[in-house]
Amino acid sequence: MAKPKGTSDTELMDKLVSLCKRRGFVFQSSEIYGGLNGAWDYGPLGVELLRNIKEAWWKEMTYRSNVEGLDAAILMHPRTWEASGHVENFTDPMVDCKQCKSRYRLDILFEELSVKRQKEALREAEPGKYEGQQRDEYIVEEFKKKAESEPGKILGFLTCPNCGTKGTFTEARKFNLMFKTFVGPVEDSSNVVFLRPETAQGIFVNFLNVQASSRQKIPFGIAQIGKAFRNEINTKNFLFRTREFEQMEMQFFCKPGTDDEHFEYWREQRMNWFLSLGMPKERLQWHRHEPGKLAHYAKDAYDIEFKFPFGWGEVEGVHNRTDFDLSRHEEYSGKSLKYFDETTKEKFIPYIIETSAGASRSFMAFLVNAYAEEEAPTAEGQMETRVVMKFHPSLAPIKAAIFPLVNRDGMPELARKIEADLRPHLRVFYDDSGAVGRRYRRQDEIGTPFCVTVDSQTLEDQTVTVRERDSMVQERIACNELLSYFLMRVNHF
Ligand code: GAP
């Protein structure tokens, strides 16, 4: 994302959100009713971009001899979520303001406090103790320790960010993030089911079904793309944290003892996937989970983080989940989930290496990465600012736009024929309104990598100009070579 001079990160996000609405990438869910917090709709261009991301992931992960695909149901037997630990552990600490009824995630409430407020809260909580201490680093460190060990002590001295009243927070309570609903007409506890909070469990419970039906031998993986739901207390930053989102997960089953090697392999593969789709190295980083802060199922875990305008944020996790998941499902279902190795005659519960990416969060990262504002010459040679979405061509919603230079002399007919020839193979767009320069700008703004113009020379020698989005360089290509030219450029950028 080329940040224009003098533009703040917030302004940049505002511009992106506004472009998304104006050009049909993303709309607020049920907007005419005032919207629904944490839910978004993908418009005509957004759905293309999202599908292209998912398609790129699917090809990358399943066009291999040792990875199979799956599409499991969103609703699963409720015991699944007891076995997985979600019923017990998938909670966030939450506090309410008794005055205005606003609800906050405790860790976020603490995280977003300025150092000045942290200082005030500490001094009030323990008068005298922090009087001489002015160093910010010391205060931040002390505040962090206190927030972890005795959150209640600080809470009483905090001001509600919404109504500004002090000391009105309730005690922290555990809030389960799973959405609950009921199967059948009777709404009682025996009919409770959950909307899955991750796609992973659908893979674990199908491990032996997939293995037996596909005759795979360990090591092998199962990949799945699908919706997940979390009743997040604080949704924020556009598509970054939503209540309904899509995941792209792959679980790789391997023999215990070989897990470290597979873990490293998949870490490298996943980072390379983002790089291969045009993300620059400097916008991506690894974040390793500290040993004391690992999830209950993990032996080791890394996140791939992307540099969003609001800071670094996770787009994908790569986890060594050990034999936790299959052991728990074996215990809770009473069915053996052991793998029998025919060569060594050993029976064991495989270890699992998980790669878990958010499709919607990746969508946002690709959007942010693509956005650029640049100075570019108009047809008259004057400089103007153009907004251009520099998507990798394989992700771009529309691959080529086709323009007749003027609406006469047989140019529209020829342009329509080119459109009709390309349309079965590529998503293309026909535009004959306004000056060609303006048509280019409209396509730049939605990231169309190629614009084809039919002009008077086309009528003579059956060639057209093809203008490339980023370099704005134009070349002449024979009409009958356009399809192979685009297919090659879109897939091998
Ligand atoms: N099966 C492991 C798992 O679900 P996670 O770190 O909770 O791990 C994996 O989620 C990915 O799903 C994240 O890296 C993120 O891209 C995406 N994700 C998680 N919660 C999300 C939310 N509320 N909104 C959008 N994407 C989310």
Side-chain angles (χ1 to χ4, degrees), residues 198 230 232 240 242 245 247 249 314-315 354 356 358 361:
E198 61 172 11
R230 296 183 188 178
E232 302 281 3
F240 185 80
T242 54
F245 55 97
Q247 288 187 316
E249 295 198 302
E314 173 192 342
V315 285
E354 165 178 82
S356 174
R361 210 178 266 184

Side-chain angles (χ1 to χ4, degrees), residues 65 82 98 219 222 263 444 453 464 477:
S65 61
E82 289 173 32
K98 286 184 244 169
I222 305 177
F263 184 65
D444 289 344
T453 306
V464 287
I477 308 272

Side-chain angles (χ1 to χ4, degrees), residues 42 47 50-51 54 196 198-199 224-229 239 242-249 315 356-363:
Y42 293 82
V47 72
L50 185 62
R51 288 175 69 106
K54 290 189 284 184
R196 67 179 175 203
E198 61 172 11
T199 55
Q224 170 165 230
I225 298 176
K227 290 259 177 166
F229 303 84
L239 307 169
T242 54
R243 297 202 167 102
E244 175 178 342
F245 55 97
E246 252 178 315
Q247 288 187 316
M248 309 184 288
E249 295 198 302
V315 285
S356 174
S360 351
R361 210 178 266 184
S362 301
F363 175 102

Side-chain angles (χ1 to χ4, degrees), residues 228-293:
F229 303 84
R230 296 183 188 178
N231 198 0
E232 302 281 3
I233 300 170
N234 296 98
T235 58
K236 63 173 184 182
N237 291 327
F238 194 31
L239 307 169
F240 185 80
R241 183 172 291 120
T242 54
R243 297 202 167 102
E244 175 178 342
F245 55 97
E246 252 178 315
Q247 288 187 316
M248 309 184 288
E249 295 198 302
M250 194 277 310
Q251 312 293 333
F252 198 75
F253 301 86
C254 62
K255 192 172 178 182
T258 64
D259 48 312
D260 291 341
E261 170 199 326
H262 293 297
F263 184 65
E264 286 311 317
Y265 172 81
W266 284 109
R267 270 198 334 115
E268 192 187 346
Q269 293 286 302
R270 294 309 305 142
M271 181 59 96
N272 286 345
W273 183 74
F274 285 103
L275 294 171
S276 74
L277 291 173
M279 292 217 175
K281 263 199 179 106
E282 57 280 9
R283 282 204 88 118
L284 294 167
Q285 69 178 18
W286 284 110
H287 164 76
R288 188 178 195 175
H289 293 213
E290 287 169 37
K293 293 198 169 164

Side-chain angles (χ1 to χ4, degrees), residues 47-105:
V47 72
E48 291 293 333
L49 175 60
L50 185 62
R51 288 175 69 106
N52 291 341
I53 292 169
K54 290 189 284 184
E55 186 61 20
W57 184 90
W58 191 255
K59 277 190 179 154
E60 167 73 15
M61 300 302 279
T62 70
Y63 285 22
R64 300 168 182 254
S65 61
N66 61 352
V67 178
E68 304 289 342
L70 180 75
D71 190 355
I74 287 173
L75 300 179
M76 300 182 70
H77 193 288
R79 289 280 282 167
T80 309
W81 307 109
E82 289 173 32
S84 68
H86 282 82
V87 170
E88 196 185 340
N89 297 318
F90 198 53
T91 56
D92 277 341
M94 172 210 81
V95 289
D96 291 314
C97 169
K98 286 184 244 169
Q99 181 71 23
C100 70
K101 312 286 177 234
S102 297
R103 178 164 285 184
Y104 301 93
R105 235 174 86 176

